[in-house]
Amino acid sequence: MDINGAVSAFGALSQKTRLDVFRLLIAAGPEGMSAGDIGETLGVRQNTMSANLSVLLQAGLVRNTREGRTVRYFADLGGTSALLTFLMSDCCGGHPELCSQVIESITCRKS
Amino acid sequence: MDINGAVSAFGALSQKTRLDVFRLLIAAGPEGMSAGDIGETLGVRQNTMSANLSVLLQAGLVRNTREGRTVRYFADLGGTSALLTFLMSDCCGGHPELCSQVIESITCRKS
DNA sequence: TCGATAAATCAAGATATCATGAATTATGGA
DNA sequence: TCCATAATTCATGATATCTTGATTTATCGA
């Protein structure tokens, strides 16, 4: 991850529909969701959703695979890790204990 | 943190200068940096830097305190935690072990 | 009080982003 | 092959964002 990739990833997350999509896919886990279901769930038109999914794909935050006529989308945890690593690199001025709160805050919790 | 706050925070990070500033302040740790030093370090004009710092402040990603004629800025780890918690909430579809890679990726490292 | 330094604010022009209607591509079933 | 469904692509007008010059506010030292 370089600065340009990070800027485009944060740009992808800086729009309500796309942030909703990413969080929906994070919650959906390994099963992912089809493009159509995502649009229906969030009440967004088909072509608008397609454009927004494309931005998330380009940013490396989601992946997709075609299944017949539908396309299934997933959160890309590798891309997400790379982004957060870039954001927090060399953190806390040599006092790593200071950002333990950040690490603990994203510890996974069930529903 | 709600969806609007998260959108504005990611929007704040979706611009090269502001992302540079945030990462500089993350690396600077508790000592922070003055607005002037930040601008000089990054080669950004005074009023442009002030406008960008204001966006980061508004988004809750940095804090500041005045020290005489200078204003010192710090990364706001509380705001950062809130943002990442919101991003990753209810993650991985009930399989929390799947996003351990994300957590490990931001484990603090020295320089 | 006066001049100099540090930073914030304001208005405006340039650039980028966004949602939408229309058209196109891809796939499956009859 | 033909039709219907799922999704993407494209052009465009509306909106938002960004940088900049000019100005203003805040603070310090003389």
Side-chain angles (χ1 to χ4, degrees):
Chain A
M1 176 71 62
D2 62 4
I3 183 78
N4 295 317
V7 165
S8 95
F10 286 123
L13 295 173
S14 71
Q15 201 268 358
K16 180 180 186 311
T17 296
R18 289 192 301 260
L19 183 51
D20 284 340
V21 169
F22 181 80
R23 295 180 70 234
L24 194 58
L25 292 177
I26 281 286
E31 291 185 15
M33 265 179 101
S34 73
D37 285 352
I38 295 170
E40 196 172 353
T41 301
L42 298 179
V44 174
R45 289 168 194 251
Q46 183 269 326
N47 57 351
T48 298
M49 182 52 71
S50 178
N52 282 318
L53 286 169
S54 168
V55 172
L56 287 165
L57 267 181
Q58 196 73 22
L61 291 168
V62 306
R63 288 175 299 108
N64 67 0
T65 60
R66 180 172 280 276
E67 290 182 358
R69 275 179 293 198
T70 74
V71 176
R72 183 171 291 268
Y73 282 82
F74 311 85
D76 186 327
L77 295 183
T80 303
S81 294
L83 179 63
L84 299 187
T85 301
F86 182 82
L87 182 68
M88 301 299 292
S89 58
D90 303 326
C91 73
C92 302
H95 300 83
E97 71 279 5
L98 290 175
C99 59
S100 59
Q101 64 174 301
V102 179
I103 296 166
E104 287 171 15
S105 72
I106 66 162
T107 297
C108 294
R109 298 170 185 80
K110 291 187 185 178
S111 61
Chain B
M1 176 70 62
D2 62 4
I3 184 77
N4 294 317
V7 165
S8 95
F10 286 124
L13 295 173
S14 71
Q15 200 268 358
K16 181 180 185 309
T17 297
R18 291 193 298 260
L19 183 51
D20 283 341
V21 169
F22 181 80
R23 295 180 69 236
L24 195 57
L25 292 177
I26 282 286
E31 291 185 13
M33 262 179 104
S34 72
D37 285 352
I38 295 170
E40 196 171 353
T41 300
L42 299 179
V44 174
R45 292 172 193 249
Q46 183 270 320
N47 56 353
T48 299
M49 182 51 72
S50 178
N52 282 318
L53 286 169
S54 168
V55 172
L56 287 166
L57 267 180
Q58 197 74 23
L61 293 168
V62 306
R63 289 176 298 107
N64 67 359
T65 59
R66 180 171 279 278
E67 292 182 357
R69 274 179 294 197
T70 75
V71 176
R72 183 171 291 268
Y73 284 82
F74 312 85
D76 187 327
L77 295 183
T80 303
S81 294
L83 179 63
L84 299 187
T85 301
F86 182 82
L87 183 68
M88 301 299 292
S89 59
D90 302 326
C91 74
C92 301
H95 298 82
E97 70 279 7
L98 291 175
C99 59
S100 59
Q101 64 175 300
V102 180
I103 296 166
E104 286 171 15
S105 72
I106 67 162
T107 296
C108 294
R109 297 169 185 82
K110 291 188 184 179
S111 66

